Amino acid sequence: MDNYKILKLNVLFAGIVIICSAISIISVLSVSVLLNKKEYGIRIAFGYTKKSIMKSIFFEVLLLQIIAVVLSFIYVYYSYVNSKISAFNLIYLSTLRTYSLISLIVLLMVFLAIVMTVPLYILSRYEPAMLIKEEE
Amino acid sequence: MIQLKNIYKEYRTGDIITKVLNDICLEIRKGEFVAIMGASGSGKTTLLNIIGCMDRPSKGEYILDGICVNKLKDKKLSEIRNKKVTFVFQNFALMEKYTAFENIELPLLRRHLSLHERKKIVTDVAKQLGIEEQLYKRPKQMSGGQQQRVAIARALASGADIILADEPTGALDHKNGLEFMNLLQQLNKQGKTIILVTHDKEVASYASRTIHILDGRILENV
Ligand SMILES: Nc1ncnc2c1ncn2[C@@H]1O[C@H](COP(=O)(O)OP(=O)(O)O)[C@@H](O)[C@H]1O
Ligand SMILES: [Mg+2]
């Protein structure tokens, strides 16, 4: 019963962390899209499509997230391997390897989709001619 | 050849509709040097953006070398911007985070060229414009005249035959401005079609034809 409560608390905590980080990543990405909009406009003027620019922003963020996920997975995995606690270690590790890994990947996809929507929507609303305009 | 037939452009912001271009009809032949003059807000930039496929007309037909451009998809338009028409902007429109080399290289990145081939094209145009010493500087480290040369080098690197210049001398001092106009004239003699937007009579005098535009309408075709 006690273990169950701790687990529930952990899930709650993880949920809060995920939501907070999603919000902060969304705002950072939105600001960065706005800061770079002139560069996007220049690229479009010389032969890029808006789609190709959105695609490259998406893959840039995807790459960063994959790096983050791999690092955190490795960290958690080895902290289990090295912990002395118990008989449960084997179960933990096998859940990590199977169930957790898959849900992690699904979570990453969902997280990425949610996080990318806002900045890409902001960018999509600009006409190419508007992007390049100087505003001071 | 550029043919504009009854081009209209309006912008919608909420309920307000701004009519920017009104029934523009215009023909520009290959190899011409045309100046477009008009007061601020008369629609010059909008017209140039439509010619440069950065924007689409609300109504009317735009035919470029026999192709009806307003029916094309984004992808095709981007190819036109990459190969057929190219821009020189008033504020130079260089990417601040990149070197002159990387800026000039930009149109070449959309083609399947090796670094070696790109390097050759970039150094060739840089030599032609006398900026080969500046290639590894960033825009902030260059003078206005040098930045405008980088901008024209980028336009030349694309190999496009039509150069659209939106007040290209607007951010230059008088001497650099005239130098730049001489450069444009030289390029025109080498066969480039040049469409220049300006509100400076002296600058417009370099062109072989001047078109006046007022409130989105063409006034005369002298
Ligand atoms: N994206 C836009 N949305 C609404 N109005 C616009 C937009 N772009 C330009 N305009 C309006 O169109 C008019 C003409 O603009 P522009 O073509 O830039 O003129 P010019 O280059 O001759 O100074 C201006 O009144 C401007 O406010
Ligand atoms: Mg203008």
Side-chain angles (χ1 to χ4, degrees):
Chain A
M1 206 50 198
D2 245 11
N3 265 341
Y4 185 66
K5 265 187 189 156
I6 291 173
L7 197 64
K8 253 177 112 176
L9 212 64
N10 272 343
V11 169
L12 181 73
F13 186 65
I16 291 171
V17 168
I18 287 177
I19 291 170
C20 288
S21 55
I23 290 171
S24 56
I25 291 174
I26 287 171
S27 40
V28 167
L29 287 177
S30 304
V31 170
S32 127
V33 161
L34 288 175
L35 283 177
N36 285 322
K37 77 188 208 298
K38 194 178 155 198
E39 181 188 323
Y40 304 144
I42 294 170
R43 285 182 183 275
I44 290 171
F46 290 94
Y48 285 66
T49 54
K50 201 149 82 172
K51 222 192 231 164
S52 69
I53 285 168
M54 289 169 131
K55 227 190 256 172
S56 68
I57 296 173
F58 180 84
F59 281 113
E60 221 170 276
V61 176
L62 178 67
L63 183 69
L64 279 177
Q65 298 228 319
I66 287 174
I67 292 171
V69 163
V70 168
L71 285 180
S72 55
F73 189 81
I74 290 172
Y75 173 76
V76 171
Y77 194 88
Y78 281 96
S79 66
Y80 274 119
V81 170
N82 293 332
S83 68
K84 292 267 153 51
I85 331 166
S86 63
F88 290 122
N89 258 6
L90 247 129
I91 301 172
Y92 280 149
L93 287 179
S94 74
T95 4
L96 261 184
R97 253 187 253 124
T98 55
Y99 180 69
S100 302
L101 190 59
I102 292 166
S103 36
L104 196 63
I105 291 169
V106 172
L107 192 70
L108 168 73
M109 295 302 180
V110 174
F111 188 79
L112 195 69
I114 292 172
V115 149
M116 290 310 291
T117 311
V118 177
L120 291 185
Y121 175 72
I122 292 175
L123 187 57
S124 73
R125 294 206 18 177
Y126 279 94
E127 291 298 321
M130 289 273 286
L131 282 171
I132 208 160
K133 222 171 217 176
E134 197 81 18
E135 39 195 285
E136 322 234 338
Chain B
M1 187 164 84
I2 293 166
Q3 285 170 293
L4 298 173
K5 293 181 184 167
N6 311 95
I7 295 281
Y8 290 80
K9 178 75 186 175
E10 50 190 43
Y11 289 108
R12 231 173 268 258
T13 358
D15 287 339
I16 308 156
I17 295 174
T18 325
K19 291 189 171 167
V20 180
L21 296 179
N22 256 308
D23 201 16
I24 297 275
C25 296
L26 183 60
E27 254 188 49
I28 295 169
R29 285 178 300 278
K30 200 172 153 44
E32 268 198 286
F33 190 166
V34 176
I36 299 174
M37 284 189 82
S40 169
S42 55
K44 306 181 298 291
T45 297
T46 307
L47 179 60
L48 212 63
N49 281 336
I50 287 175
I51 295 175
C53 297
M54 278 290 272
D55 212 340
R56 289 170 184 274
S58 314
K59 217 164 79 184
E61 235 180 14
Y62 170 23
I63 297 163
L64 176 64
D65 292 337
I67 301 164
C68 186
V69 169
N70 38 342
K71 295 206 182 89
L72 295 180
K73 294 222 167 71
D74 275 356
K75 180 112 191 12
K76 285 273 177 241
L77 288 186
S78 75
E79 282 165 19
I80 292 178
R81 293 195 299 271
N82 188 240
K83 298 197 179 90
K84 274 202 152 152
V85 292
T86 189
F87 283 97
V88 180
F89 296 96
Q90 168 175 12
N91 48 38
F92 317 128
L94 298 175
M95 302 183 291
E96 301 289 342
K97 284 182 282 184
Y98 299 87
T99 61
F101 182 94
E102 289 162 323
N103 272 287
I104 298 170
E105 190 188 28
L106 183 63
L108 303 175
L109 296 179
R110 297 304 281 171
R111 307 185 194 163
H112 302 283
L113 296 173
S114 68
L115 176 64
H116 182 75
E117 290 168 305
R118 297 200 301 267
K119 210 166 183 170
K120 182 167 185 324
I121 297 172
V122 172
T123 38
D124 280 354
V125 289
K127 267 190 200 133
Q128 188 188 341
L129 295 168
I131 48 169
E132 64 264 51
E133 306 283 310
Q134 262 69 46
L135 277 180
Y136 296 98
K137 286 186 187 166
R138 279 168 218 284
K140 284 254 165 65
Q141 300 164 307
M142 291 183 271
S143 72
Q146 285 169 340
Q147 287 184 51
Q148 195 58 302
R149 273 165 190 273
V150 173
I152 198 123
R154 176 176 58 187
L156 292 182
S158 82
D161 282 330
I162 301 171
I163 299 176
L164 307 174
D166 193 355
E167 312 205 18
T169 56
L172 299 178
D173 58 47
H174 189 73
K175 179 175 151 284
N176 274 312
L178 294 188
E179 221 169 87
F180 183 80
M181 290 314 298
N182 280 318
L183 186 60
L184 274 191
Q185 208 165 40
Q186 223 177 301
L187 291 172
N188 177 240
K189 287 206 180 97
Q190 290 165 19
K192 301 275 184 192
T193 307
I194 294 174
I195 305 175
L196 166 80
V197 161
T198 181
H199 45 234
D200 185 334
K201 275 216 169 68
E202 191 181 0
V203 169
S205 71
Y206 282 81
S208 45
R209 173 154 72 112
T210 304
I211 291 161
H212 293 269
I213 179 168
L214 179 68
D215 295 336
R217 289 173 192 278
I218 289 180
L219 277 187
E220 52 199 296
N221 238 341
V222 188

